[in-house]
Structure formats: C-alpha cells, structure tokens
Amino acid sequence: MPEKSQKDAERSEALEMNPWHQAMEQLDRAGSKMNMEPFVLERLRHCKRILTVSVPVKMDDGSISVFEGYRIQHNLDRGPAKGGIRYHPQVSLDEVKALSFWMTMKCAVVNLPYGGAKGGVICDPKKMSIGEIERLTRRYTSEISILLGPDRDIPAPDVNTNEQIMAWIMDTYSMTVGYSCPGVVTGKPIEAGGSLGRKEATGRGVFYVTRELSNIRGFDLRKAPVAIQGFGNVGANAAKIFAEHGCKVVGISDVGGGLYDAKGLDIDDIMAYRQTHESIAKYPRAEHVPVEHFVEVPCEVLIPAAMENTITHENASKVKAKFVIEGANGPTTNRADRVLEERGVLVIPDILANAGGVTVSYFEWVQDIQAYFWSEKDINARLQDIIVRAFREVYEVAQRERVDMRLAAFMVGLNRLAKAVRIRGTFP
Ligand code: GLU
C-alpha cells in the first residue's frame, strides 16, 4: 500500500476505535436527520464538567501508587447526573466522555429524569487486593465528592465495580457529610439501602427488549439460539434470565475464552464452575471458542455484553446472528453498524437495550429518597413497563422514518433532550 493511503487507513482505524469520535458521529447523524438546531448539537458536543483526579493509594507492601481517575458530567438539562464508575486499565478520557454522553442519551430514551455522567479509574483491579481496592475507592470518592450528591450526581456500578464498592462510596460520602446518605449512589447492597432486582436489572432489561423484538418480529425466542459475549454482571445475569425463560444459550464467553454447545449450555453448571475458577475458559463440558472469534459463533441472537469495539468492520461480515442486542456500551463500531445493516442484521442499540440497569438505579434512588422500599415483583413489572414502552416508541420511529434502530433511538432521545435544552434556555 502506498505510504499515504496506509496512513489514511491507520487514521480511519484509530477513529473507528475512539468511542468519543464514534459517539459524536452518532449525534451528528441524528442531528442532520432531524434538522436539529445547531446550538442544541453544539451544546451536546461538549461535556458540562470534566474532573480529572489523582488518586494516591497506600498499597499492601507499604508503597504509594498514584492512579488517574475521572468523573464527567455530560449534560444536566433533564435532571441530576447519573452513570456508573468503571475500573479498568484501558480507561481513558475520551472513553469516559463517550460513556457519559451515552448515559445522557440513554436516560432520555427511556425517559428517566436524569442527565448523563460517567466515572473511571485507570487501574487493574484484578492485580489489586481487596484492601487496595477499598482504599482506591474511598480516596477516589473523596476526590470526586465535590461533584456528588443525591440531587447532583449519583454513581453506580459499571465494568469491574460491584455492590461492595458502591457501599464504600456511600459510606465515604456519608462520613464526609456527617449523616447516612443512601441516595448518593445506586447498585448498593440491600443492607445499605440497595434495591431488590438492581443486580439483575441490566440483564433483565436485555431480555425484555429481546422478547419484545421477538413478539413484533414474530419469531419464537425459545427456538432462537442465543450467544452472549461477556460473563460479568450483565452477561451472566442475561444468560441466567434467558435460560430461566426456556431460551437456548448456545454460547458464552469471558476475557479468558468462549464456550459453545449447539444443544444449549448448562448455565447453572457454568455459574457453579465460575465460583471456583478465575475464568470459564477451561470449563470442560463444552466446545472452546477463542475470544477473538466469539462474535462469529452460530446463533440467531448475539448479545455483546463486554466492552466497546468488539464488533468492528473487520469481523462484522462474519457475524452469523440475525439480531445483535447491545448489553455493553458501544460494542459495535459505526463502520460495523453499516456492514451489519447491509447484511440485514438488526442491531438494538446500547442506549435502549441495556437501559434496564439505570432504570432500576432510578427506582433505587426513588426508594432511598422516600425511605420506602418496593417488592421485587413490583420492581420487575415497572422495569418491564418502561423498557417495553421505550422499545415500541423507538421501533415505531424506525419504521416510520425508515432508519436503523440506533438512529431511531437517538432521534427519540435527542428530541426529548432538545425540548429540555430549548425550554431551559441559555444562562445568563
Ligand atoms: N453503568 C450502567 C450503565 O452503563 C448503569 C448506570 C446507572 O445505573 O447509573 O448504564
């Protein structure tokens, strides 16, 4: 390849893998389809607040390591900032910016009274002890506490963060203000003011979306083989819930490797295996699939529930599924979207498909503020209501405007958000 075109190819590859660039392309696409006023788009091209913090942590060997962390509030026009916190070696400013933008859009699509935010710390929690993770969490919380508060900014779990970490965030914040403040963070353990059903909520929302899709499209979900990439909170709970509803989960993977069985995997058995093993990669009762080829396994429904950019223009042509349901945030690049669309693969976008998590976070926050807790049955029924309503609204726009589901979801979200931006006006 000549040097110039080689450079161009590298550049477009880098942009394809940059989540903020991807997110802004998605915004522009919706903006131009809707003839949106430039000032609304311009507002959304900037994050409202970006806080970078250094997080010094006393390690177990007595040394001090300094980690870099972020908390970004993308937009607050529809309510307080909401969004998770992730711990991962690949966290970057552009990634957290994109994730905070997607939270703004997600909350608007399902119509929760929130703006979008996200936080992240560049670290590898797999190489840290529990004590080190606790000290990192408490110091990071203290550093970003200038932004936090139950009516200001409410974090939640994301990649590599869990209920225990949320409890430390709640405790650290409460120690600072001098009283117990459960409403400052969601995804907490029940004992610390958490909500029933929150842990399973993202996976459950993914299931509700897929079931509604099968109703509208008229296919039998119990006969459609499902493959799930990722075995974290989203992937593992999705696998469990699909299996509980009689669906055939034929593939599942984690960072170490993938598993496949055309007859359907025994999810309970894999869950039990995972309790005593670091990864499911060596689970003995299934075929093994290399992680880098997992999205190519034979299935009808593919649920990427791991990280960004797992479906790219390079492997999109090898995806066998008819439906891609995005459990993760940003798993499909924009170039991959185009390839999938040309091939007739329907993608249900992240900002709709994985909105179950933030929806039950909203329920948790409402319960905390009212100090009145609901039954799990109630929570799941309300979750289903919200997710199905949002799905139908987006599907209807996609049909009417003859656009893909990602663009339709952006149009629904952007329309709602723009109304708030216009009506609130520009200060001063
Ligand atoms: N981290 C989740 C997401 O990306 C949940 C956010 C929340 O509950 O605030 O949607």
Side-chain angles (χ1 to χ4, degrees):
M1 209 190 278
E3 205 177 310
K4 184 172 178 303
S5 42
Q6 170 79 26
K7 282 237 160 65
D8 285 349
E10 280 168 16
R11 201 179 113 78
S12 73
E13 208 118 316
L15 290 177
E16 180 184 9
M17 295 310 208
N18 181 311
W20 179 244
H21 179 80
Q22 300 287 301
M24 291 303 97
E25 264 185 15
Q26 294 165 358
L27 174 67
D28 287 343
R29 202 163 155 247
S32 77
K33 176 81 189 166
M34 298 167 79
N35 271 325
M36 186 56 67
E37 306 96 295
F39 93 92
V40 174
L41 297 175
E42 196 50 25
R43 287 275 297 265
L44 300 175
R45 271 191 208 103
H46 295 87
C47 296
K48 183 178 170 70
R49 292 189 182 110
I50 299 182
L51 177 62
T52 303
V53 293
S54 70
V55 187
V57 177
K58 226 175 260 163
M59 306 305 276
D60 291 345
D61 65 3
S63 67
I64 308 266
S65 291
V66 183
F67 298 88
E68 180 153 300
Y70 311 100
R71 182 68 183 173
I72 300 181
Q73 299 177 342
H74 171 263
N75 180 277
L76 305 181
D77 278 297
R78 302 185 66 259
K82 189 83 191 80
I85 287 170
R86 66 170 58 179
Y87 291 169
H88 197 274
Q90 257 107 48
V91 162
S92 71
L93 189 58
D94 270 357
E95 183 197 43
V96 183
K97 279 169 71 179
L99 291 164
S100 69
F101 166 76
W102 285 325
M103 285 309 301
T104 302
M105 298 309 298
K106 194 184 300 186
C107 293
V109 172
V110 287
N111 205 5
L112 304 177
Y114 285 137
K118 205 81 173 198
V121 179
I122 307 170
C123 65
D124 188 352
K126 299 214 162 73
K127 296 200 179 116
M128 296 168 74
S129 71
I130 293 281
E132 288 167 343
I133 293 174
E134 175 174 357
R135 293 191 290 281
L136 171 92
T137 301
R138 290 188 182 277
R139 182 62 188 252
Y140 168 71
T141 304
S142 167
E143 294 294 341
I144 65 165
S145 66
I146 50 173
L147 295 180
L148 302 186
D151 44 27
R152 303 173 67 192
D153 185 341
I154 308 117
D158 198 81
V159 175
N160 290 334
T161 56
N162 55 22
E163 290 189 325
Q164 174 62 74
I165 291 174
M166 300 307 116
W168 290 325
I169 293 176
M170 182 270 207
D171 186 69
T172 304
Y173 182 84
S174 298
M175 289 301 112
T176 311
V177 292
Y179 54 88
S180 256
C181 188
V184 70
V185 61
T186 59
K188 301 177 295 294
I190 305 291
E191 299 75 14
S195 173
L196 294 166
R198 173 60 186 87
K199 208 173 12 183
E200 301 80 16
T202 313
R204 193 173 292 282
V206 168
F207 175 74
Y208 289 151
V209 159
T210 315
R211 187 167 63 183
E212 190 56 21
L213 175 69
S214 74
N215 290 340
I216 290 186
R217 285 292 178 110
F219 68 91
D220 185 351
L221 192 53
R222 277 162 310 178
K223 295 214 177 90
V226 179
I228 303 174
Q229 179 193 45
F231 205 57
N233 183 48
V234 182
N237 279 301
K240 200 176 87 189
I241 293 163
F242 273 79
E244 269 168 18
H245 284 85
C247 299
K248 197 160 73 168
V249 180
V250 295
I252 184 110
S253 73
D254 67 12
V255 276
L259 305 173
Y260 177 78
D261 185 341
K263 295 194 297 298
L265 296 161
D266 182 342
I267 300 301
D268 287 338
D269 195 42
I270 297 172
M271 293 243 180
Y273 177 89
R274 178 68 182 79
Q275 297 284 312
T276 50
H277 297 78
E278 279 260 304
S279 162
I280 58 171
K282 297 215 165 73
Y283 174 77
R285 290 170 285 284
E287 263 175 64
H288 294 165
V289 187
V291 201
E292 48 306 349
H293 294 298
F294 185 79
V295 299
E296 302 159 25
V297 295
C299 63
E300 218 162 297
V301 176
L302 175 65
I303 303 175
M307 296 294 285
E308 296 96 75
N309 302 338
T310 57
I311 307 179
T312 67
H313 76 282
E314 279 180 345
N315 61 14
S317 58
K318 299 181 198 144
V319 167
K320 313 272 186 313
K322 290 194 194 125
F323 306 104
V324 172
I325 320 286
E326 295 187 329
N329 292 311
T332 313
T333 69
N334 294 343
R335 278 174 86 184
D337 254 352
R338 301 289 81 78
V339 177
L340 293 174
E341 194 179 6
E342 267 165 33
R343 297 185 51 230
V345 180
L346 184 71
V347 178
I348 309 299
D350 43 12
I351 54 172
L352 172 64
N354 70 36
V358 70
T359 301
V360 178
S361 273
Y362 166 60
F363 298 161
E364 179 174 333
W365 178 74
V366 168
Q367 293 171 85
D368 286 338
I369 286 171
Q370 302 186 345
Y372 178 73
F373 289 84
W374 317 342
S375 72
E376 187 157 6
K377 193 163 153 263
D378 226 14
I379 285 159
N380 291 343
R382 289 180 199 230
L383 170 64
Q384 178 168 317
D385 255 17
I386 290 181
I387 294 294
V388 168
R389 191 184 327 127
F391 182 90
R392 287 186 186 155
E393 194 177 357
V394 172
Y395 195 83
E396 204 259 313
V397 170
Q399 296 292 303
R400 194 180 62 226
E401 302 289 331
R402 295 173 191 283
V403 298
D404 57 85
M405 287 289 280
R406 189 180 315 277
L407 182 48
F410 264 81
M411 290 167 76
V412 168
L414 191 53
N415 184 36
R416 218 165 253 144
L417 189 54
K419 284 183 184 160
V421 172
R422 278 183 215 116
I423 208 148
R424 285 186 58 165
T426 302
F427 175 87

